[in-house]
Each structure stands twice: as C-alpha cells, then as structure tokens.
Amino acid sequence: MKNGLVIFFLLMLISQSCTNDGNQDGFINLKPGHFCQLASIAISGDTIFIAGSFIPAENPDIILQPIYSYLAAVGTDGKLIWEHVNDVPDYTRWTKVAVDNQRNVFAIGTARSPIDNLVAGLVQLSSQYGIEKNSIWVEDTLPHEMADIQVTKKNQLAFLRVKELVGHGIPCINKQVELFTGNTDYHRDFCVDGAYSCTKFINDTLYFTAGGAPTITRYLYFINDADSLKLVEIPDNLLGLMVNDVVATNVNQYLMATTLKNEQGPCLYQLSTTDSFTVAACLNYWPMHGSTHLLPYGSCSILAFNAADETNTNTAQVVILNGQHKKVYDETVASTSNFIISDLVVNDTIIYLAGTLESFGDGSSMAVKMIPIPASIGCKVVN
C-alpha cells in the first residue's frame, strides 16, 4: 500500500479527450472510468475542483473490484484543466475537497486495501497544475475515516477524523489543524453513542456530529475548540428521523435538515438555546432517506436532495426557502440518467450541484450542474 501511495501522483493525465464527456443534459460531465463516484467539489473563481473515485470496468470474476482515486480541476465552461489518475489501483476514495485563498487544493480520504490496514490520507496540491505539494498518510489497524475538511478564516487547514475506540467499537471524533510546518494542533477525542452520521464543521471553532442507529439520529453533539461538548437528546416524539445536515443561524441556534424513512419531507427543524425543537418547514416530496443537503444563502436556505414520486423513481430537487421558511424557488434537475446528489456548493449567485450520473448498462460518470439563482427571490445576500 505504501509504495502505491508514494507513486500516487506520479502519473498526471492532461488529455481532455479521454475523460471529459462534455455537457450532457446541461451537466459538466467527467468519466475517468466505467463506474464513477463523485464525492465532493470546491469552487474557486471559474474553477471546479472535484474529488472522487472510480472503477475502470466491472469484472464479475473479481470479488473486490479495483478502485482508483480521482482528483481533477475543470472550468465552469466544461474544459478539463488537469486530472490525477494513478497507474495502479490504490483503493482510495477521496471524500472531501477544499481550496484556500492561495488556491492550494486539499483533499481527504481513506484507502481500503484488501491486504493492508486502513490508511487515512490528506494531500495538498497546486490548483494550476495539480502538482502535489504535501501529503500525510495515517495508517491504523482500527477502522477510521476522514469526515470533513475546511479552510479557516486564518487560512489554516482543519479536518475531522473519526476512529473507533480501542476494544469498544465506539466512534470517536478528533479535530486536527494541520499547518504543514511540522506542527499539528490536535484536539482531544470525543466519543459518541451509537453509529455517527452528519459529522461536519459548523464554523471555525465548532463542529457537530449526530449519533444513534445507522439511519436514526438519537443524539446531537456540538463540540468546540475549548474542548467542551454539548449533548442534545432528540425528543421522544421525533424519534425515527435522521439529521442529514445542520447550519448555524445565530449563537447557539441551529437549523437542521432531516428525513424520516418512507415519509414525506425533507423537514427543517430549528434548535433553540433551550434545546427545544420547532418544525420550520416540511416539503411534499418522498426524499431518499439521508440524502438532503442544506446551505444558508443570505436570508434564505437552499436544500438539495433526491426524491421519488408517482412517475419518477428518482429525481434531483433543489428548493430555496426564504427567511420565513416559505418556498420561493423549486427546480427538478432533469436528466436522461439518474442523478445521485453528493455535494452542494453556493458561490455568489450560482448553485453548484454535484453528484453521479447513473446510466443503465453504461456505468456512471461524475457530473456538476450549475443553477443560476434568480435575483427576484430576494435572499438579501451581504458579501
């Protein structure tokens, strides 16, 4: 595994013809292999940075399909700028990508080798050519994942790593600030009850995770840089829902996107300083459980999720709610293929919706859809 990681960035392909499928159904479309999985995007100017993985082609004679990691930069005009594809499978799935104000690109992920231990990875690349500048790989005999990454207001890189407590199988979350100067600021582990989900940064000093059963949220954990933890228990009358995403709306006040299995939604709940839950809005869709992404946009909230209805087995939906949580914009993202959403980014007046286009009999491709936000919806954005 380590030799494969050393040569991971030795092969850089810059040919657009073999990778960029161009614009399919209005999507920026990349297809490095037959079975692709886009995990995360980051936006800087007119460049979209993409992190994911792919399988070249399914081979039914191989039990564990070979996985290749994938990083790329593509313009908002759909032209490929650079991409990284290893010459051998490294079984690494990039999960998050970020870019700082010096246009350094950072990606985190986890390698799952069939013969080696789990290896969590962080890499830093230049945005212009995708050349590696730094990398950190942490090998462990225990299951562990890179959960989220962000560039702070001080232009420092912070990431969250989740690992199991020795001998107990309990997930524990740890924040690290990596300076790439030989110094790493480690915060202590916080362990949660049950399976974790929706582990993410809320701001520079606060992060969040939800615990409980794999598809049901039972506890909310808010952790800050003072190494303190606030635990909020989901009320009994709301048990069964799953918290998909959370944003801060004020000091100690949060807005949560939730889904409930086999029920209409998604729903937004407000969590106040008294830990009381108030429903803000519920939408009349049948969302895929756990699929909803939430972002603030000025005085509005943007939701993106996959849903089904009587005629469509899967649709991608984008909904904007105003400050009173009333729907002011709704779009079904149409495609001839199923579009499975994996990330949502908003930049100025553009929504970037990222995911995977799945075509029956033709594998899948990575795709980004750009959706202009109408000025008429009045979201009072302050730059």
Side-chain angles (χ1 to χ4, degrees), residues 30 41 74 123 172 191 225 306 360 362:
L30 299 174
I41 63 170
V74 63
V123 295
C172 300
C191 301
D225 281 356
N306 288 101
F360 180 76
D362 191 32

Side-chain angles (χ1 to χ4, degrees), residues 11 15 19 85 89 93 95 155 159 189 214 221 262 277 345 351 354:
L11 183 63
S15 170
T19 299
V85 180
R93 296 184 187 273
T95 53
N155 207 40
F159 62 94
D189 287 342
Y221 301 86
N262 300 324
F277 291 78
V345 175
I351 295 171

Side-chain angles (χ1 to χ4, degrees), residues 4 147 178 181 267 306 314 325 333 337 342 369 382:
E178 183 56 56
T181 59
C267 292
N306 288 101
N314 174 49
H325 308 299
V333 182
S337 306
S342 59
K369 179 83 168 182
V382 178

Side-chain angles (χ1 to χ4, degrees), residues 296-301 321-325 377-381:
Y297 180 69
S299 58
C300 297
S301 302
L321 306 175
N322 64 16
Q324 290 73 48
H325 308 299
I377 65 177
C379 287
K380 295 182 180 179
V381 178

Side-chain angles (χ1 to χ4, degrees), residues 41-42 53 102 111-112 142 161 196 200 210-211 226 272 294:
I41 63 170
S53 60
Q102 269 83 51
R112 295 182 179 275
L142 296 171
R161 188 157 67 101
Y196 72 94
K200 62 171 288 184
S272 72
L294 169 67

Side-chain angles (χ1 to χ4, degrees), residues 28-77:
I28 295 173
N29 198 325
L30 299 174
K31 191 174 177 63
H34 193 62
F35 292 91
C36 305
Q37 185 175 39
L38 188 154
S40 174
I41 63 170
I43 311 297
S44 179
D46 58 359
T47 304
I48 306 168
F49 299 99
I50 291 172
S53 60
F54 70 92
I55 297 172
E58 187 176 30
N59 186 342
D61 296 327
I62 300 177
I63 297 176
L64 184 63
Q65 298 295 321
I67 297 171
Y68 288 74
S69 57
Y70 185 78
L71 294 168
V74 63
T76 53
D77 59 0

Side-chain angles (χ1 to χ4, degrees), residues 27 64 87 104 106-107 116 129 133 155 196 208 253-254 257 283 294 305 312 314 320 327 338 341:
F27 290 85
L64 184 63
D87 58 350
N104 292 302
F106 301 93
D116 291 320
Y129 301 110
K133 300 173 72 173
N155 207 40
Y196 72 94
F208 165 90
Q253 292 183 329
Y254 308 96
L283 305 177
L294 169 67
F305 53 93
N312 299 293
N314 174 49
I320 301 179
K327 186 165 59 175
N338 277 349
I341 299 171

